[in-house]
Amino acid sequence: MACLSTCIVAALCRAKEGELAARSVGDISEEVVTTHITQRESALHCRRRTRGVEETNRLIRSLTSLFDSVSGKDTLGVPLLDHERIQQIWKEQQKHLGCIQNPEDFQLYIKTGTLKKGNVELCCYRCARGSTSLETFHLHLNRFIPGTSVSYAHFQAYLLEGLMRWNDDWMEDAVKGAPSIHSYGSALSEAVDQLSQKGAREMLG
């Protein structure tokens, strides 16, 4: 998908080709240009849109069908997906397809200026997608688990710890505007609060 998103943007490809030519980077083929376009450049200069519920449904079903077939087995012949479980998961989750589509009649992108690259003037955009607290939470959720091999007990512990820290950060920001103590230890926070109250009492009296 990352390669596809860069290939469909001709202006950015021309700009990157001009940059590479100015730096005398050997043979400048379409593949070379594509590999040199960074994710940050793509996000800055390209506006994206979702494909709609029906098309998203078709693409996901096509993908799960592929991995739920003979093609979806590793080198030892072990299926990557459990047929019964993946069908049940898809049955439960497809109702959320409408939730991940761009809202209609709402401008997600704001033009913030232009930038010249490789003698090509590119528009710069700022996207509202990912700017709400809920979307930010979804972005960080997968970072709560430090690895891909973990027991159920450790997985739950990491998840609960991540949720606790997330809630603490947002509560601190909402109440005080900025974190005052960079610690998630409840005992330490309580001790600091007690010392603060003691200091305030001594100053008053």
Side-chain angles (χ1 to χ4, degrees), residues 5-42:
S5 65
T6 55
C7 287
I8 63 176
V9 185
L12 181 55
C13 288
R14 291 198 308 271
K16 182 57 65 173
E17 184 177 356
E19 277 191 337
L20 295 175
R23 288 158 47 189
S24 301
V25 182
D27 179 37
I28 307 176
S29 63
E30 183 178 346
E31 183 179 356
V32 171
V33 172
T34 300
T35 56
H36 277 78
I37 295 177
T38 66
Q39 186 176 359
R40 185 178 180 279
E41 286 178 313
S42 212

Side-chain angles (χ1 to χ4, degrees), residues 29-196:
S29 63
E30 183 178 346
E31 183 179 356
V32 171
V33 172
T34 300
T35 56
H36 277 78
I37 295 177
T38 66
Q39 186 176 359
R40 185 178 180 279
E41 286 178 313
S42 212
L44 179 63
H45 301 298
C46 306
R47 290 178 293 180
R48 302 183 181 186
R49 58 181 301 174
T50 51
R51 300 169 182 264
V53 174
E54 292 185 5
E55 180 65 8
T56 304
N57 188 314
R58 185 189 68 80
L59 291 171
I60 294 177
R61 282 192 292 105
S62 176
L63 183 64
T64 54
S65 297
L66 175 65
F67 283 100
D68 196 24
S69 64
V70 178
S71 301
K73 294 183 178 180
D74 63 15
T75 55
L76 298 177
V78 178
L80 300 177
L81 300 177
D82 180 275
H83 176 75
E84 298 298 331
R85 292 184 64 184
I86 196 61
Q87 294 302 322
Q88 182 61 31
I89 291 172
W90 175 236
K91 182 179 179 180
E92 295 173 355
Q93 296 300 319
Q94 60 181 323
K95 62 184 178 183
H96 297 296
L97 290 177
C99 305
I100 61 175
Q101 306 301 317
N102 289 348
E104 296 183 5
D105 302 323
F106 182 82
Q107 183 60 257
L108 282 174
Y109 288 89
I110 299 175
K111 183 178 177 181
T112 59
T114 59
L115 185 64
K116 199 167 186 178
K117 291 184 178 182
N119 293 322
V120 177
E121 190 169 293
L122 299 172
C123 295
C124 299
Y125 299 100
R126 185 178 72 237
C127 183
R129 188 186 294 112
S131 60
T132 67
S133 60
L134 179 60
E135 290 175 307
T136 306
F137 172 75
H138 288 159
L139 175 65
H140 289 279
L141 185 60
N142 64 337
R143 300 177 184 173
F144 292 161
I145 316 300
T148 56
S149 299
V150 65
S151 68
Y152 291 122
H154 291 157
F155 177 90
Q156 187 174 19
Y158 284 132
L159 183 60
L160 291 175
E161 174 74 7
L163 293 173
M164 184 274 292
R165 293 190 176 200
W166 174 268
N167 290 332
D168 281 355
D169 287 344
W170 277 93
M171 181 176 67
E172 187 80 16
D173 187 58
V175 174
K176 300 180 180 179
S180 56
I181 303 174
H182 297 285
S183 172
Y184 298 102
S186 58
L188 178 60
S189 298
E190 185 177 355
V192 172
D193 288 340
Q194 291 177 352
L195 289 173
S196 299

